[in-house]
Amino acid sequence: MIIVKEKYKSCSLNFKSYPKYVDMPYIRVVLKNLQTGKIDTVSRDFLVDTGASISIINNKYSELLKETESCDKVELIFGKGKSQHYDVYKVALIIKDNVFETLVAFVPDCPFLLLGHYAFLERNSYNLFHSSIKQTRLVRN
């Protein structure tokens, strides 16, 4: 059984009156390119997003994906925007010494990194958000 626990990260919301703070379920991830075997040298914060249909990476990983062919494309719509097709890659997410193979959509101009349902959250037995202790727990049997 794999259990990943991570404390929430405090983030500011820029209200017009003054900034407000909210604790968000981010998890530190190191990305590995499964085709080349290259591992990113930086761990990055990914938002655990139960509303995201697929995990998303952005231009921070363009160098890691260089010389790699996508395995598919996926059509995504953000907010009220129009739909676009994005490349999908097979990667490994290294989270606290645990390796999770998954698929991610590469959205170069996306301002954030997301852990979404397809091929990641849906494979866990539990995805727990414990608000009183401000902690995310991912449990996989």
Side-chain angles (χ1 to χ4, degrees):
M1 178 182 293
I2 297 172
I3 300 174
V4 173
K5 296 179 186 179
E6 187 81 32
K7 286 285 193 187
Y8 286 7
K9 179 181 177 185
S10 185
C11 301
S12 68
L13 291 175
N14 296 320
F15 281 82
K16 188 174 182 180
S17 56
Y18 59 90
K20 311 252 193 294
Y21 292 89
V22 63
D23 295 310
M24 300 289 289
Y26 281 92
I27 290 184
R28 301 291 291 172
V29 175
V30 173
L31 202 76
K32 178 180 180 179
N33 183 324
L34 290 175
Q35 285 184 29
T36 64
K38 290 182 184 175
I39 300 175
D40 193 25
T41 58
V42 178
S43 66
R44 302 179 196 272
D45 288 328
F46 280 67
L47 177 63
V48 181
D49 187 350
T50 59
S53 55
I54 190 169
S55 297
I56 294 175
I57 60 173
N58 59 25
N59 217 23
K60 293 176 181 172
Y61 292 105
S62 58
E63 189 64 31
L64 189 71
L65 297 176
K66 206 165 141 181
E67 302 171 10
T68 304
E69 289 190 34
S70 67
C71 63
D72 209 338
K73 288 195 177 287
V74 65
E75 182 179 11
L76 299 175
I77 302 172
F78 294 95
K80 285 188 165 187
K82 62 181 202 175
S83 67
Q84 288 186 290
H85 286 87
Y86 297 97
D87 288 326
V88 173
Y89 294 90
K90 291 180 183 176
V91 299
L93 307 172
I94 304 169
I95 304 171
K96 297 193 178 231
D97 296 326
N98 298 292
V99 179
F100 303 91
E101 290 188 12
T102 191
L103 295 173
V104 296
F106 179 65
V107 182
D109 57 348
C110 188
F112 36 75
L113 304 165
L114 299 177
L115 296 176
H117 272 281
Y118 181 72
F120 184 70
L121 292 176
E122 70 179 2
R123 292 183 178 167
N124 296 334
S125 304
Y126 302 100
N127 300 296
L128 305 171
F129 301 93
H130 199 309
S131 298
S132 61
I133 63 170
K134 299 177 183 174
Q135 183 184 74
T136 303
R137 294 181 194 172
L138 306 178
V139 180
R140 189 174 287 194
N141 287 331

